[in-house]
Amino acid sequence: MTMGRKRTFNVEQALDAALAVFWRKGYEGTSYADLVAATGLERPSLYSAFGNKEALFLRALTRYTEHYADYVSKALELATSIEVAKAVLFGAVELSTRYDDRMGCFGLNGGLAGSDEAEPARRALVAWRAEGEAALRHRFERAQEEGDLPPDTDCETLAAYVLALAHGIAVQAKAGFPCKTLMAVAQQGLEGWPGRRDSSTP
Protein backbone atom coordinates (compact mmCIF):
# COMPACT_ATOMS: atom_id res chain seq x y z
CA MET A 1 0.00 0.00 0.00
CA THR A 2 1.38 3.37 -1.01
CA MET A 3 1.18 6.13 1.59
CA GLY A 4 -0.17 9.49 0.43
CA ARG A 5 2.45 12.16 0.04
CA LYS A 6 2.40 14.75 2.79
CA ARG A 7 1.31 18.12 1.44
CA THR A 8 4.06 20.70 1.46
CA PHE A 9 3.86 24.47 1.23
CA ASN A 10 6.05 27.52 1.36
CA VAL A 11 5.86 28.88 4.91
CA GLU A 12 6.96 32.40 3.94
CA GLN A 13 4.41 32.61 1.14
CA ALA A 14 1.67 31.44 3.49
CA LEU A 15 2.78 33.94 6.12
CA ASP A 16 2.79 36.77 3.58
CA ALA A 17 -0.71 35.79 2.48
CA ALA A 18 -1.93 35.86 6.09
CA LEU A 19 -0.10 39.14 6.69
CA ALA A 20 -1.95 40.73 3.76
CA VAL A 21 -5.30 39.74 5.25
CA PHE A 22 -4.43 41.08 8.72
CA TRP A 23 -3.10 44.25 7.08
CA ARG A 24 -6.34 44.78 5.20
CA LYS A 25 -8.91 43.66 7.77
CA GLY A 26 -7.18 43.99 11.15
CA TYR A 27 -6.81 41.29 13.77
CA GLU A 28 -10.41 41.09 14.88
CA GLY A 29 -11.83 41.53 11.39
CA THR A 30 -9.86 38.53 10.10
CA SER A 31 -11.54 35.15 10.40
CA TYR A 32 -10.10 31.68 10.04
CA ALA A 33 -12.10 31.39 6.83
CA ASP A 34 -10.22 34.46 5.53
CA LEU A 35 -6.88 32.91 6.47
CA VAL A 36 -7.78 29.57 4.91
CA ALA A 37 -8.86 31.28 1.69
CA ALA A 38 -5.74 33.48 1.53
CA THR A 39 -3.15 30.82 2.33
CA GLY A 40 -4.79 27.83 0.67
CA LEU A 41 -4.25 25.86 3.88
CA GLU A 42 -6.94 24.16 5.91
CA ARG A 43 -7.29 24.91 9.61
CA PRO A 44 -5.27 21.89 10.79
CA SER A 45 -2.34 22.90 8.59
CA LEU A 46 -2.56 26.49 9.80
CA TYR A 47 -2.53 25.34 13.42
CA SER A 48 0.36 23.00 12.74
CA ALA A 49 2.48 25.60 10.97
CA PHE A 50 1.71 28.72 12.97
CA GLY A 51 -0.30 27.90 16.08
CA ASN A 52 -3.51 29.80 16.80
CA LYS A 53 -4.68 33.07 15.25
CA GLU A 54 -2.85 35.20 17.83
CA ALA A 55 0.44 33.38 17.21
CA LEU A 56 0.00 33.77 13.46
CA PHE A 57 -0.69 37.49 13.88
CA LEU A 58 2.47 37.93 15.96
CA ARG A 59 4.50 36.10 13.30
CA ALA A 60 2.95 38.37 10.68
CA LEU A 61 3.84 41.46 12.74
CA THR A 62 7.46 40.34 12.96
CA ARG A 63 7.58 39.71 9.22
CA TYR A 64 6.00 43.10 8.54
CA THR A 65 8.64 44.79 10.69
CA GLU A 66 11.55 42.96 9.07
CA HIS A 67 10.45 42.85 5.42
CA TYR A 68 8.07 45.77 4.90
CA ALA A 69 8.68 48.42 7.58
CA ASP A 70 12.45 47.94 7.54
CA TYR A 71 12.76 51.49 6.20
CA VAL A 72 12.60 52.59 9.87
CA SER A 73 15.71 50.67 10.94
CA LYS A 74 17.50 51.88 7.81
CA ALA A 75 16.47 55.48 8.56
CA LEU A 76 18.07 55.29 12.00
CA GLU A 77 21.47 54.79 10.35
CA LEU A 78 21.36 58.06 8.40
CA ALA A 79 23.74 60.89 9.20
CA THR A 80 21.46 63.64 10.52
CA SER A 81 18.25 63.80 12.52
CA ILE A 82 16.31 65.48 9.73
CA GLU A 83 17.41 62.81 7.27
CA VAL A 84 16.17 60.21 9.75
CA ALA A 85 12.82 61.96 10.10
CA LYS A 86 12.48 62.44 6.35
CA ALA A 87 13.19 58.76 5.66
CA VAL A 88 10.65 57.67 8.28
CA LEU A 89 7.92 59.95 6.93
CA PHE A 90 8.56 59.31 3.25
CA GLY A 91 8.86 55.60 3.99
CA ALA A 92 5.48 55.70 5.72
CA VAL A 93 3.95 57.33 2.65
CA GLU A 94 5.48 54.82 0.25
CA LEU A 95 4.49 51.73 2.23
CA SER A 96 1.02 53.01 3.13
CA THR A 97 0.21 53.56 -0.55
CA ARG A 98 2.17 50.66 -2.08
CA TYR A 99 -0.66 48.12 -2.31
CA ASP A 100 -4.10 49.00 -3.63
CA ASP A 101 -5.70 46.21 -1.59
CA ARG A 102 -4.15 47.14 1.78
CA MET A 103 -3.61 50.85 2.22
CA GLY A 104 -2.31 52.22 5.48
CA CYS A 105 -0.17 50.60 8.17
CA PHE A 106 -0.38 46.97 9.29
CA GLY A 107 0.30 48.02 12.87
CA LEU A 108 -2.50 50.59 12.93
CA ASN A 109 -5.03 48.58 10.91
CA GLY A 110 -4.31 45.50 12.98
CA GLY A 111 -5.45 46.97 16.28
CA LEU A 112 -8.48 49.04 15.34
CA ALA A 113 -10.99 46.72 17.02
CA GLY A 114 -10.98 46.24 20.75
CA SER A 115 -12.84 43.17 22.02
CA ASP A 116 -11.46 41.01 24.82
CA GLU A 117 -10.39 38.46 22.21
CA ALA A 118 -8.26 41.06 20.46
CA GLU A 119 -6.59 42.34 23.64
CA PRO A 120 -3.36 40.28 23.26
CA ALA A 121 -2.92 41.59 19.72
CA ARG A 122 -3.63 45.14 20.88
CA ARG A 123 -1.00 44.85 23.63
CA ALA A 124 1.53 43.50 21.14
CA LEU A 125 0.92 46.44 18.83
CA VAL A 126 1.21 48.94 21.69
CA ALA A 127 4.57 47.41 22.61
CA TRP A 128 5.63 47.42 18.93
CA ARG A 129 4.86 51.12 18.57
CA ALA A 130 6.56 51.94 21.89
CA GLU A 131 9.68 50.10 20.74
CA GLY A 132 9.78 52.12 17.54
CA GLU A 133 9.31 55.37 19.42
CA ALA A 134 12.09 54.50 21.85
CA ALA A 135 14.50 53.69 19.01
CA LEU A 136 13.73 57.03 17.36
CA ARG A 137 14.12 58.90 20.65
CA HIS A 138 17.52 57.30 21.28
CA ARG A 139 18.64 58.26 17.77
CA PHE A 140 17.61 61.87 18.36
CA GLU A 141 19.38 61.87 21.73
CA ARG A 142 22.54 60.76 19.94
CA ALA A 143 22.02 63.54 17.40
CA GLN A 144 21.74 65.98 20.29
CA GLU A 145 24.99 64.71 21.82
CA GLU A 146 26.68 65.10 18.42
CA GLY A 147 25.48 68.70 18.11
CA ASP A 148 23.07 67.94 15.27
CA LEU A 149 20.10 68.95 17.45
CA PRO A 150 20.04 71.95 19.80
CA PRO A 151 20.74 71.24 23.50
CA ASP A 152 17.20 72.26 24.51
CA THR A 153 15.50 69.81 22.11
CA ASP A 154 12.94 67.55 23.78
CA CYS A 155 13.91 64.32 22.01
CA GLU A 156 11.00 62.35 23.46
CA THR A 157 8.49 64.84 22.11
CA LEU A 158 10.32 65.05 18.78
CA ALA A 159 10.16 61.26 18.34
CA ALA A 160 6.48 61.25 19.27
CA TYR A 161 5.87 64.08 16.77
CA VAL A 162 7.50 62.20 13.89
CA LEU A 163 5.57 59.02 14.65
CA ALA A 164 2.30 60.92 15.07
CA LEU A 165 2.84 62.33 11.57
CA ALA A 166 3.71 58.89 10.20
CA HIS A 167 0.64 57.34 11.79
CA GLY A 168 -1.56 60.16 10.54
CA ILE A 169 -0.18 59.64 7.05
CA ALA A 170 -1.10 55.95 7.26
CA VAL A 171 -4.64 56.78 8.37
CA GLN A 172 -5.05 59.26 5.52
CA ALA A 173 -3.70 56.69 3.06
CA LYS A 174 -6.32 54.25 4.30
CA ALA A 175 -8.91 56.97 3.66
CA GLY A 176 -7.76 57.27 0.05
CA PHE A 177 -5.43 60.27 0.06
CA PRO A 178 -3.05 60.05 -2.94
CA CYS A 179 0.67 59.50 -2.55
CA LYS A 180 1.53 62.96 -3.93
CA THR A 181 -0.59 64.69 -1.28
CA LEU A 182 0.86 62.59 1.52
CA MET A 183 4.41 63.32 0.37
CA ALA A 184 3.58 67.02 0.58
CA VAL A 185 2.22 66.49 4.08
CA ALA A 186 5.43 64.72 5.08
CA GLN A 187 7.51 67.56 3.63
CA GLN A 188 5.42 70.14 5.45
CA GLY A 189 5.97 68.25 8.68
CA LEU A 190 9.70 68.85 8.40
CA GLU A 191 9.37 72.63 8.25
CA GLY A 192 10.87 74.25 11.29
CA TRP A 193 12.96 71.21 12.20
CA PRO A 194 15.20 72.13 15.16
CA GLY A 195 18.72 72.98 14.08
CA ARG A 196 17.96 72.07 10.49
CA ARG A 197 21.15 71.26 8.61
CA ASP A 198 19.91 69.32 5.57
CA SER A 199 20.08 71.68 2.62
CA SER A 200 18.10 69.23 0.47
CA THR A 201 14.99 69.94 2.56
CA PRO A 202 13.66 73.39 1.62
Side-chain angles (χ1 to χ4, degrees):
M1 181 176 178
T2 302
M3 297 293 290
R5 180 176 295 178
K6 186 176 181 180
R7 183 179 181 183
T8 61
F9 62 93
N10 186 299
V11 173
E12 289 193 351
Q13 287 180 353
L15 184 56
D16 266 333
L19 184 157
V21 179
F22 284 127
W23 193 340
R24 182 170 63 253
K25 304 185 73 171
Y27 177 81
E28 195 167 22
T30 297
S31 67
Y32 273 106
D34 294 325
L35 295 170
V36 166
T39 62
L41 303 176
E42 298 299 330
R43 271 203 186 201
S45 296
L46 277 173
Y47 279 122
S48 177
F50 302 110
N52 60 16
K53 177 181 169 182
E54 178 188 335
L56 176 53
F57 180 81
L58 295 178
R59 286 277 298 275
L61 177 60
T62 297
R63 185 163 180 79
Y64 176 81
T65 303
E66 295 175 350
H67 294 272
Y68 293 87
D70 55 334
Y71 66 88
V72 176
S73 59
K74 293 174 181 177
L76 296 175
E77 301 300 320
L78 296 175
T80 65
S81 60
I82 193 168
E83 288 177 304
V84 171
K86 184 194 297 185
V88 169
L89 295 178
F90 285 13
V93 173
E94 191 281 323
L95 183 56
S96 294
T97 59
R98 184 185 302 174
Y99 303 104
D100 291 338
D101 66 331
R102 43 191 146 134
M103 295 290 195
C105 170
F106 175 97
L108 294 180
N109 296 350
L112 291 180
S115 71
D116 291 342
E117 179 193 354
E119 182 61 17
R122 188 195 70 80
R123 288 199 302 267
L125 291 172
V126 168
W128 175 75
R129 289 190 290 268
E131 183 178 345
E133 186 170 340
L136 197 56
R137 183 184 75 245
H138 292 322
R139 177 62 186 86
F140 290 159
E141 288 171 347
R142 178 160 69 85
Q144 192 174 42
E145 292 170 359
E146 294 169 350
D148 176 51
L149 286 171
D152 60 350
T153 302
D154 185 335
C155 295
E156 182 175 1
T157 299
L158 191 61
Y161 168 73
V162 171
L163 290 185
L165 280 174
H167 294 160
I169 284 168
V171 171
Q172 297 291 50
K174 180 81 169 174
F177 279 52
C179 180
K180 181 178 180 181
T181 298
L182 295 175
M183 283 292 188
V185 169
Q187 187 70 54
Q188 183 65 43
L190 297 171
E191 294 296 325
W193 188 262
R196 190 163 69 191
R197 295 168 59 180
D198 180 5
S199 59
S200 65
T201 302

